[in-house]
Amino acid sequence: QVQLVESGGGLVQAGGSLRLSCAASGRTFGRYPMGWFRQAPGKEREFVAAINWSGGSTYYADSVKGRFTISRDNAKNTVYLRMNSLKPEDTALYYCAADQVFGQVVAGIADYWGQGTQVTVSS
């Protein structure tokens, strides 16, 4: 079992930055690919970024490529999402996810999900 708790969301002006964290419980955290997703009001949940178990491979949605960076610290059981040059359209509830299969994380069918942290970007 893996439990995920997100933090770091908040209100920021357009052009600003935030760093989200996702703390995971469980001794096998280091074996799990992880990902970030977001869901804006009235919209479907969408993929943002994913990282493999070692941190050596990452994958991003086109909408955030070059602005967001996903990373992980397996010693701290934590995955991060650094968000720069934020835009109002980045406003959403951000979730982290974990699964033993990288492709399932990217596809949004991961086994484990957090409760989310709200990010609001004002114009």
Side-chain angles (χ1 to χ4, degrees), residues 40-94:
K43 295 187 176 181
E44 293 188 354
R45 185 175 64 196
E46 65 172 348
F47 169 77
V48 175
I51 189 166
N52 74 335
W53 69 271
S54 69
S57 180
T58 57
Y59 182 64
Y60 296 93
D62 287 343
S63 59
V64 306
K65 202 172 294 182
R67 299 189 297 123
F68 291 10
T69 302
I70 189 170
S71 61
R72 67 190 296 160
D73 185 339
N74 287 344
K76 296 182 178 180
N77 280 9
T78 302
V79 64
Y80 304 99
L81 185 68
R82 177 68 179 182
M83 306 185 294
N84 295 330
S85 302
L86 283 162
K87 305 175 182 179
E89 52 263 43
D90 294 318
T91 295
L93 187 62
Y94 283 71

Side-chain angles (χ1 to χ4, degrees), residues 22-46:
C22 175
S25 65
R27 293 176 295 174
T28 58
F29 168 79
R31 301 177 188 175
Y32 283 81
M34 303 284 293
W36 286 96
F37 290 76
R38 66 187 183 186
Q39 187 167 20
K43 295 187 176 181
E44 293 188 354
R45 185 175 64 196
E46 65 172 348

